Amino acid sequence: MKATAKAHPIQGLVKYHGMRDSELRYPYHDSISVSTAPARSKTTAAFDSALDDDRLVIDGDEVTGRGRERVLSVVDHVRERAGIDHRVRFESENDFPTNIGFGSSSSGFAAAAVALCEAAGLDLSHPEMSTVARRGSASAARAVTGAFSHLETGVNDEDCRSHRIETDLEDDLRVVAAEVPAFKHTEQAHEEAEASHMFEARLAHIHQQISDMREALRTADFDAAFELAEEDSLSLAATTMTGPAAWVYWQPETLEVFERVRELRNEEGVPVYFSTDTGASVYVNTTAEHVDRVEEAISELVPTRVWEVGGPAQVLPESEALF
């Protein structure tokens, strides 16, 4: 009863914000994202009758507090579905910077869900496993199905699950990840989303954003898709900044990257757009043809790495287990 899995983090394109149910993590509205590779989280999970307590380790550190509660919400759901009561040994590691706006919770909970389901002997499809991962992080549902994925809202697991969107943009997209290491508080921002006077305005237009993004992906219209992602990043920031805690995630380096992206687009005609989730780091989206020029320009400002589109979460061979 042991398995190892990996998943790639996601970049939110039309991002969800706020949850109608904080325990089951049903978001208020649909969301669309793209997974970024080769960045990945890897998790090994083993259910063991000899253990007297759950042992949870992430990046070498024991998981405590709210982090432990979130992981156990996924573990307990798998135990319930599988009809087992064994304790679990759980270890996870990331190979990219975490908690700075690059979606580490998405890949972490996606890898956890797939490893746990496999270790428990559950035979589930990726959309079905996305409902397991969602209990840890709604964005993790989309990391399970991978590539370009759409998480539909709902109030049950039949409706609120992720599905992959097929698009020819998978081969051409390149993401220059611009690292701005500033700690973020995503969960708290979701909790207070409704209190922002901008929240109702966001809900009013988000359905059209989803429809327009799906059409841009269907027709492989790069500029339309990533102009929408850029616009949605600004909308999300407006909502978080006008909540009770007045979260301002962006740093001076974030704004410098925005300005450089606009210079490349407006002065050099490069197809390039910025996008942020709840964090200071920036996804700089461009095409394979222009990625070298874009990375050269952005790396003058902050550390960078280049990512491509990643596939769904997957089970790994036993030789890659973490223990």
Side-chain angles (χ1 to χ4, degrees), residues 49-61:
S49 60
L51 294 176
D52 56 8
D53 195 12
D54 296 308
R55 301 178 184 176
L56 312 178
V57 174
I58 297 178
D59 286 333
D61 296 324

Side-chain angles (χ1 to χ4, degrees), residues 145-319:
T145 50
F148 289 87
S149 283
H150 181 173
L151 174 62
E152 298 179 10
T153 192
V155 292
N156 57 62
D157 286 343
E158 293 300 315
D159 293 335
C160 193
R161 57 178 58 190
S162 179
H163 300 275
R164 184 165 171 170
I165 303 172
E166 299 296 333
T167 173
D168 289 341
L169 289 181
E170 283 188 22
D171 294 332
D172 198 32
L173 174 64
R174 297 294 183 272
V175 181
V176 177
E179 298 178 19
V180 183
F183 186 79
K184 63 186 182 67
H185 303 269
T186 304
E187 189 168 25
Q188 294 95 319
H190 284 303
E191 289 173 356
E192 65 174 43
E194 299 169 76
S196 166
H197 68 274
M198 299 292 292
F199 185 65
E200 291 298 328
R202 180 168 173 80
L203 289 182
H205 80 84
I206 203 71
H207 304 295
Q208 188 63 50
Q209 289 278 96
I210 291 287
S211 178
D212 291 345
M213 180 62 75
R214 287 193 63 96
E215 179 64 11
L217 295 176
R218 185 188 68 81
T219 58
D221 188 332
F222 177 89
D223 291 295
F226 289 98
E227 182 177 7
L228 282 167
E230 186 171 295
E231 291 172 355
D232 188 67
S233 299
L234 299 174
S235 169
L236 177 68
T239 308
T240 57
M241 286 191 288
T242 51
W247 300 109
V248 179
Y249 295 108
W250 296 341
Q251 298 295 309
E253 298 93 331
T254 307
L255 301 180
E256 289 177 2
V257 172
F258 289 178
E259 187 61 26
R260 184 63 57 88
V261 167
R262 286 171 167 161
E263 289 173 356
L264 288 168
R265 188 166 70 225
N266 297 332
E267 298 176 13
E268 298 185 30
V270 176
V272 59
Y273 300 86
F274 64 78
S275 176
T276 60
D277 289 334
T278 44
S281 296
V282 187
Y283 300 97
V284 180
N285 298 297
T286 188
T287 62
E289 178 183 355
H290 295 90
V291 66
D292 291 342
R293 173 67 187 114
V294 172
E295 185 187 23
E296 176 187 33
I298 301 302
S299 64
E300 294 174 352
L301 305 174
V302 295
T304 59
R305 56 186 71 203
V306 176
W307 291 332
E308 302 180 4
V309 175
Q314 64 184 81
V315 176
L316 297 176
E318 186 176 349
S319 60

Side-chain angles (χ1 to χ4, degrees), residues 3-9 40-45 74 90-94 104-118 129 133 140-141 143-144 312-316 322:
T4 300
K6 74 170 183 178
H8 303 295
R40 61 103 182 105
S41 297
K42 182 164 73 170
T43 297
T44 298
V74 179
F90 174 102
E91 292 192 18
S92 184
E93 65 175 23
N94 303 286
S104 58
S105 64
S106 66
S107 54
F109 280 110
V114 173
L116 288 163
C117 286
E118 181 72 11
M129 286 189 290
V144 170
Q314 64 184 81
V315 176
L316 297 176
L322 296 176

